[in-house]
Amino acid sequence: MAPGQRPAPADRTFRSRRLDLAGTRDFATPGSGAARRRALTEHTRRWLGQVWDRAGAGRRLEGVALAAVGSLARGDSGPLSDLDLILLHHPRGLSDEHVAAFADRLWYPVWDSGARLDHSVRTVAECRAVAATDLSAAVSLLDIVHVAGDPDVVAAARSTVAHDWRANARTRLPEMEAAVAARYARHGDLAHLVEPDLKEARGGLRDMGLLRSLAAAWLADRPHGEVDAAYRHLLDVRDAVHVVTGRSRDRLGREDQDACAALLGLPDADALLTQVSGSARVIAYAAHTTLRRAGQSQRARVLRVRPRRPQLVPLGYGLYRHDGEVVLGPSAAPRSDPLLPLRAALVAARNRLPLAPATLHNLAGQVPPLPEPWPALARELFTDLLATGPALVPVWEGLDLAGVVDRWLPEWSAVRCRPQRSPVHRHTVDRHLVETVVVAGGMLRDVDRPDLLVLAALLHDIGKVAGSRDHAADGAETAARVARRMGLAGPELELVVRLVREHLTLVELATRRDPADPGTLSALALAVDGSVRTLDLLRVLTEADARAAGPMAWTDWRAGLVDRLCARGRQALGSGPDANGTVAAEPLAGRLEEYLTGPELEQLALGRPVVHVEVNGGAHRILVTDRDRVGLFADTAGLLAAMGFAVRSATLRTGDGLAANEWWVDSPGGQVPVAELIVRDLVRVADGDRGPLALIGRRRAERPARRLVPGSPDQTRALVLSGASESATVIEVRTWDRPGLLHDIGITLARASLTLRSAHIATHAGYAIDTLYVTEHTGAVLAPARAARAVAMIIDACDGT
């Protein structure tokens, strides 16, 4: 045939035969998808071989071959997948004119068959050149396989491209990371889309090519097992889309979801999207961790000149930082410490590090379950984890995929990957709950119980399960069950349940009712049980829920309506101590004989402090009794921080020249407080020796400081509570907890020549709420100017300015 002359049209039975092989009967049978795709691949290659024979008129052509890339090369072709073909030839073989004519005889029958064709004609050198400049072409050519003709030409192209890919891995890795980020930005996250692109979105089929290419570069081993199963499931869904639509497409449109679900044996479209989301999460997490592993491997190749020992940086609780991940150290005892997953997650989130895959595997498989109800320390660690901000999201994702979250919250499985079809929502139910916690974490200073707020945020939509008609009411029942398991009881339990049950009330009343109508205010008062404190918590939860849903859910207009309703509600309910959550308690004068022995009273009379240490589960109660002096509170707080203890709560009482400080502390390093050491160091510090406090700086360096942004919730808030006490000035301080915080506050008060008569220290979910009763040395209440100056100094001390 002359160059440019079109061959006789072929019949169009090839496309029909592919659809016949796909069938409609066995889609729901486990393992049927892989067998179907194998049959499709074998049929396609056999048919292309026949096309090759006809185009060559039975002649053997040296140095010319037909090769496949893409899904046909990988063996996972769909019923109507495109054919990606390359005609490879040796430059010293056929002339360019003969190669072009032969290509025409190949391509036209494929087009006439109805198949979509992506084709090219190249030499081995041209394949190498294209791969060097085009990342997507390089990744595709790594899969090249022989279809017909001279196999040596295909083998040469494959080995050459693979060699170059490994040799240039250091320069191609940043290019690959940028390309992946750009693709994610264009196509979104498959796990949370209602009409997802099964191929290009994050966690889609394209990410498996990423995993294979990283393994081909010898930068990282790709995970198998669950990842391969997730990939096969997405391929099954894609095949169903091809059969239902009769087109080669990768988008799972709303109009096709019910038919695809029925073809795959699922009850409805929501069940289909739930499975798609779960598979996408597995693949996305695998792609992320494998990319991280590749980066670690590449850095090791560049920096390591000789074998070296692993660099382990201690993070507390037997955990270490290694290669940018949190790992278990040799001292960790996962089989005997049910709190270890909580500690590991908290350490990872606070240090903005991921948990290593091996660590997640060990935490999920070796750690015993938590006792029920949970001990108080477990609950505190859990709410502290929830309060870590955006760093919570990747840590929670790793824990969830490893199965740890199900052990904490068996109810989580009912909302995992569950789609939300409202255009307001941008995430699945489970991810929305986590995002709500993150948003609420930015407003913790506005409430007096941050721990209960983040817990309610995590559970507020837990009732959005299949078959639920009132997810708020159903969720309240579930939240009560969860809260009891976690050890909550009484008013705390009732408050969490109420917040979950009423989390839609403010928006409904503000947007659908007249806020000036007495009936509206009565409904509001009933929803918050007449409590201004509950109203404040519900207001923050409402905003966090809406902002986490998406920009359409929380507009300035809606925020204004909610704020006006809350303002009227506070006015109607009244503002008192309950409005700000403080307790205007005066110092309590206890009798020392109730807890001090005779020798201890004599020791106290000689000017030496008395320290009692009690162990309560994983926490420690330290009672320090000493002669009252300026700086005692600061010195005690500083010593505990220097020793590596984290203060959970504290109460200071003074009277008759004596001070009794009660401290509840946690021990990240596992050490136990020793009363004799605390007494020794208190005496040294009182005598002017500041050596025992020198370790505070190192403790601060071990825990990264939060980045302070002007006007952000990270900044400290301190204010005078007017009317809280007639005999003292009461200052409330709200700030993020950190090592040495109480020491800095105490030193500031001492420098201001103020007497700290009573203090009530509480740390909830990583956030400190401290109520300080201060007076002049004469016992007088502070003048307004003095109080304002003290507040300013405290804020500066807390923010490090």
Side-chain angles (χ1 to χ4, degrees), residues 285 288-289 291-293 295-297 299-300 308 310-313 315 320-327 347-349 351-357 359 394-395:
Y285 189 76
H288 177 73
T289 55
L291 261 179
R292 188 171 71 240
R293 283 277 186 271
Q296 295 168 348
S297 172
R299 287 192 296 273
R308 61 181 176 89
Q311 300 296 310
L312 300 177
V313 179
L315 299 173
Y320 294 83
R321 181 174 69 241
H322 172 61
D323 261 351
E325 297 176 328
V326 175
V327 300
V347 165
N351 288 275
R352 303 180 184 92
L353 296 172
L355 288 162
T359 299
V395 172

Side-chain angles (χ1 to χ4, degrees), residues 29 35 86 134 214 252 276 310 417 445 519 605 671 715:
T29 303
I86 302 175
D134 188 329
L214 291 173
L252 180 59
V276 168
C417 301
R445 69 173 185 177
Q671 66 270 37
Q715 288 190 298

Side-chain angles (χ1 to χ4, degrees), residues 420-723:
Q420 303 195 83
R421 295 185 174 275
S422 168
V424 169
H425 281 281
R426 56 184 173 180
H427 296 115
T428 54
V429 175
D430 59 330
R431 178 61 179 272
H432 170 69
L433 292 175
V434 176
E435 292 288 342
T436 303
V437 172
V438 172
V439 177
M443 299 183 283
L444 296 184
R445 69 173 185 177
D446 297 329
V447 298
D448 71 322
R449 288 303 302 268
D451 54 335
L452 300 185
L453 171 63
V454 293
L455 185 57
L458 184 71
L459 300 175
H460 77 277
D461 274 351
I462 199 70
K464 279 189 175 179
V465 299
S468 175
R469 296 189 176 183
D470 185 347
H471 77 270
D474 295 341
E477 296 180 5
T478 304
R481 185 165 62 250
V482 172
R484 289 192 190 96
R485 186 190 313 124
M486 290 184 174
L488 290 179
E492 292 181 332
L493 171 64
E494 294 174 3
L495 181 55
V496 171
V497 172
R498 181 174 295 276
L499 291 174
V500 173
R501 184 173 59 246
E502 305 294 343
H503 75 272
L504 300 175
T505 299
L506 286 186
V507 169
E508 291 178 350
L509 292 178
T511 58
R512 302 177 184 177
R513 302 276 291 274
D514 180 1
D517 191 294
T520 303
L521 296 179
S522 297
L524 177 61
L526 181 64
V528 300
D529 196 29
S531 167
V532 175
R533 182 181 76 166
T534 303
L535 176 60
D536 289 340
L537 285 164
L538 189 59
R539 165 63 179 80
V540 173
L541 177 59
T542 299
E543 180 177 348
D545 181 19
R547 285 171 53 191
M552 293 187 294
W554 190 250
T555 61
D556 292 341
W557 167 78
R558 180 164 291 187
L561 292 179
V562 171
D563 285 340
R564 282 193 289 274
L565 175 65
C566 289
R568 288 180 177 273
R570 291 188 188 94
Q571 184 178 9
L573 296 173
S575 59
D578 188 46
N580 49 47
T582 63
V583 179
E586 297 297 324
L588 301 177
R591 292 181 301 171
L592 300 181
E593 292 82 358
E594 293 180 357
Y595 61 91
L596 294 183
T597 64
E600 289 174 335
L601 288 172
E602 294 178 2
Q603 177 180 331
L604 188 62
L606 294 174
R608 289 181 60 85
V610 176
V611 176
H612 289 175
V613 175
E614 299 176 4
V615 178
N616 189 344
H620 307 280
R621 177 178 179 263
I622 303 175
L623 181 62
V624 178
T625 308
D626 198 358
R627 289 185 177 182
D628 192 19
R629 61 177 173 81
V630 175
L632 174 61
F633 175 78
D635 292 344
T636 308
L639 285 176
L640 293 177
M643 292 176 178
F645 298 111
V647 177
R648 291 290 180 184
S649 65
T651 302
L652 166 65
R653 296 179 177 87
T654 59
D656 301 324
L658 297 174
N661 298 353
E662 183 184 51
W663 306 82
W664 286 89
V665 301
D666 186 19
S667 177
Q671 66 270 37
V672 177
V674 178
E676 292 77 9
L677 295 180
I678 298 175
V679 170
R680 182 199 66 187
D681 288 347
L682 277 174
V683 172
R684 289 178 57 189
V685 173
D687 291 340
D689 181 2
R690 313 305 289 179
L693 301 176
L695 287 177
I696 294 180
R698 195 179 78 180
R699 299 294 183 190
R700 288 172 177 161
E702 292 173 352
R703 179 172 169 182
R706 299 179 69 93
R707 299 181 180 89
L708 293 180
V709 179
S712 75
D714 288 340
Q715 288 190 298
T716 298
R717 188 178 74 177
L719 68 157
V720 174
L721 301 181
S722 301

Side-chain angles (χ1 to χ4, degrees), residues 19-187:
L19 284 173
D20 290 342
L21 285 171
T24 58
R25 290 178 298 176
D26 296 329
F27 266 75
T29 303
S32 63
R36 180 175 59 251
R37 286 184 286 274
R38 282 195 301 269
L40 284 167
T41 299
E42 291 172 1
H43 169 68
T44 302
R45 292 183 179 178
R46 186 166 54 249
W47 181 80
L48 288 172
Q50 295 169 359
V51 172
W52 174 273
D53 290 340
R54 289 196 297 268
R59 294 178 298 163
R60 178 178 178 82
L61 301 175
E62 296 293 339
V64 184
L66 180 64
V69 294
S71 61
L72 180 60
R74 295 188 298 269
D76 54 27
S77 290
L80 296 175
S81 291
D82 298 354
L83 300 181
D84 298 315
L85 303 176
I86 302 175
L87 180 59
L88 283 172
H89 66 98
H90 196 284
R92 292 190 294 271
L94 296 177
S95 66
D96 292 344
E97 184 178 87
H98 283 89
V99 170
F102 185 68
D104 286 343
R105 295 197 297 272
L106 280 175
W107 307 146
Y108 277 112
V110 177
W111 285 323
D112 290 337
S113 72
R116 295 177 58 178
L117 173 65
D118 185 3
H119 63 91
S120 60
V121 179
R122 292 176 183 149
T123 64
V124 173
E126 288 171 342
C127 288
R128 186 179 189 184
V130 169
T133 58
D134 188 329
L135 179 65
S136 62
V139 172
S140 180
L141 285 167
L142 291 172
D143 296 325
I144 191 170
V145 297
H146 172 264
V147 175
D150 189 347
D152 292 339
V153 183
V154 181
R158 185 182 184 94
S159 62
T160 301
V161 171
H163 175 271
D164 290 349
W165 181 251
R166 291 190 296 271
N168 298 315
R170 185 171 65 87
T171 57
R172 301 311 290 267
L173 183 59
E175 183 183 0
M176 184 179 299
E177 291 173 334
V180 168
R183 174 164 57 86
Y184 290 170
R186 285 194 307 272
H187 298 281

